[in-house]
Amino acid sequence: MKLTRLGHDDLYAVEQLQLALFPENPDGEAVSALHRGRTWLTATAKITLNGQTAAASRRLKASEETVRRRRQILQQSYYLAARQLLSVTPPWGALAGVRPTKISTKHMLSGGTAASADRLLRDVYYVTEDRRQLAVECSRSTVAAANLLEPTDVSLYVGIPFCPTRCSYCSFVSRTIGKKTELLEPYLGALEQEIRVTGRLLRESGKHIRTVYMGGGTPTTLTASQMARLLDTITGAFDLSRCLEFTVEGGRPDTLDAEKLLTIRTHGADRMSINPQTMVDSVLRACGRPHRGEDVLRAYGQAVDAGFGAINMDLIAGLPTDTPAGFRQSLDTVAALHPANITVHTLALKKGADLFERRESLPPLEAVTEMVDYASHTLRGLGYKPYYLYRQKYMSGSFENVGWSRDSLDCLYNIYMMEEVHTILSLGGGGMNKVNLPDGRLQRFHNPKFPEQYIEMLDSVLKQKEELFALMP
């Protein structure tokens, strides 16, 4: 949909809302305008779609203008116009972006209550009742996690951007290596250098590691001996005496076996992620995943035997060829294992993924809605609570990804990373450092995306680490 702005430069605020409300980018035209009068600042929106036109406006006193409030009325006017053309009420109302809970979290961290956060989401952003409840519950978890932090705390991400094969829905920057593993050794050598330099900088700065997360890609693409070597480097370089959790993302069960899981556990990691995405073998094949549902059960049992008391499992609603009955089977099978966390994603059609261009056999919106609703109802009934969430572009039904936990076993790293409440140091190819600056702003520093670039540019990566530590309070 074509978007024209008149009288303002707030492209991102309106464009992201347009993508969320009209994710399929239909033919149409929208105009977002801002008029500055002597007394009032007035935002108007006019949207034409399928031969119909709708318009709406919102205003605030010119003397009360701030960047946040100006963007609010721009988004409110656009939403109110769009709502007239949409057949269903958008669950997240006028909220755009990937972190809708940041509104309620910021409100509650500054002294607001759950009830006042709910009113804020209702009256300012038009969020539906069920999504307000979801956001406020996740914000409660964020407030509790934030209260565990000291000013000197940081979290650590270690990236392994390799996978045995690529799933059809995936757009992560990772190398599909199959049997070609020659890049792994030079990558590990470079990563170990960054680990040692970062360990030195942490000691000199007086910072402390609160959580560690090894992600990818698929970190367990590494052999058991390579994993042991990497974990020895991490525990040798960093003081983990104040670390609350250490997660390794296993992801694919076809990369896991008893030896590797025991190696990871005995080298200090206490959380494991085993992600079936679906337990239906035909859906796994449609997604390009070579394992079967029974492999997930085998890997889960081996992880329990290795001593992991906190295991996460991911599912995706809306996968190719899946049905509500198939998704119910997947969720019920996973929930019967009683993992600490179950993360329910909604399929996002990501640029760079095979599915973005080849949208075959995708379930309709009504089916995805049924899947998401079943997950929420079932998991609540089993005693799980939502503890973090985020959204993505091109997501089925404009829904969200939700992490559910039981028995207060929230994955703290997920909260800290998504809610950006403290600094995240990222090591390895594709890593993004999020540094919370003294003035309250967040500054991002990117490592090179591809493993080859990371190896070649290691000197600049290490220099950047020195620079970002100089900025940290």
Side-chain angles (χ1 to χ4, degrees), residues 215-401:
T218 306
T220 45
T221 301
L222 301 178
T223 65
S225 60
Q226 288 171 330
M227 182 64 75
R229 167 185 155 193
L230 177 57
L231 291 169
D232 281 339
T233 304
I234 290 171
T235 55
F238 300 117
D239 176 7
L240 300 182
S241 61
R242 296 189 67 229
C243 184
L244 295 172
E245 63 178 31
F246 190 150
T247 305
V248 173
E249 192 173 285
R252 295 257 298 256
D254 50 320
T255 67
L256 297 171
D257 57 38
E259 178 191 7
K260 194 178 296 184
L261 286 161
L262 186 60
T263 297
I264 294 169
R265 181 68 187 96
T266 56
H267 281 72
D270 56 3
R271 298 181 67 99
M272 172 58 58
S273 191
I274 300 172
N275 303 331
Q277 314 304 1
T278 175
M279 295 296 287
V280 180
D281 289 348
S282 60
V283 180
L284 287 168
R285 289 194 297 272
C287 295
R289 290 174 74 93
H291 65 85
R292 295 177 296 176
E294 65 185 42
D295 296 317
V296 176
L297 301 179
R298 183 263 309 159
Y300 187 92
Q302 291 172 334
V304 172
D305 291 343
F308 286 99
I311 301 174
N312 171 75
M313 304 186 80
D314 282 8
L315 294 173
I316 300 178
L319 288 172
T321 75
D322 205 2
T323 63
F327 182 82
R328 288 196 298 272
Q329 174 192 331
S330 296
L331 185 73
D332 292 346
T333 303
V334 165
L337 298 172
H338 206 47
N341 306 129
I342 298 176
T343 305
V344 180
H345 298 263
T346 307
L347 179 67
L349 295 172
K350 306 170 188 175
K351 291 183 179 179
D354 291 344
L355 272 182
F356 189 83
E357 299 297 336
R358 184 177 50 82
R359 307 183 185 190
E360 299 173 357
S361 304
L362 295 177
L365 174 60
E366 296 78 13
V368 178
T369 302
E370 187 176 340
M371 296 175 192
V372 172
D373 289 346
Y374 181 79
S376 177
H377 174 77
T378 300
L379 292 173
R380 287 186 185 280
L382 292 172
Y384 287 83
K385 69 174 181 65
Y387 76 96
Y388 92 112
L389 69 85
Y390 64 101
R391 300 170 68 198
Q392 294 171 282
K393 295 179 183 178
Y394 314 114
M395 180 173 275
S396 297
S398 190
F399 291 125
E400 60 284 316
N401 304 320

Side-chain angles (χ1 to χ4, degrees), residues 149-155 202 205-210 242 422 472-473:
L149 297 173
E150 299 292 338
T152 59
D153 287 341
V154 301
S155 285
L202 278 168
S205 68
K207 304 295 183 185
H208 302 97
I209 293 175
R210 209 58 166 157
R242 296 189 67 229
H422 79 161
M472 290 167 61

Side-chain angles (χ1 to χ4, degrees), residues 122-142:
R122 180 193 66 192
D123 298 341
V124 177
Y125 296 100
Y126 314 116
V127 179
T128 60
E129 182 178 3
D130 58 340
R131 290 314 190 274
R132 296 199 309 270
Q133 179 187 3
L134 190 62
V136 170
E137 286 178 295
C138 289
S139 292
R140 282 199 183 102
S141 291
T142 300

Side-chain angles (χ1 to χ4, degrees), residues 99 388 412-420 424 434:
R99 300 177 181 86
Y388 92 112
L412 297 172
Y413 173 84
N414 284 337
I415 295 173
Y416 296 149
M417 180 272 298
M418 191 54 59
E419 295 293 338
E420 299 174 338
I424 307 289
K434 298 181 177 182

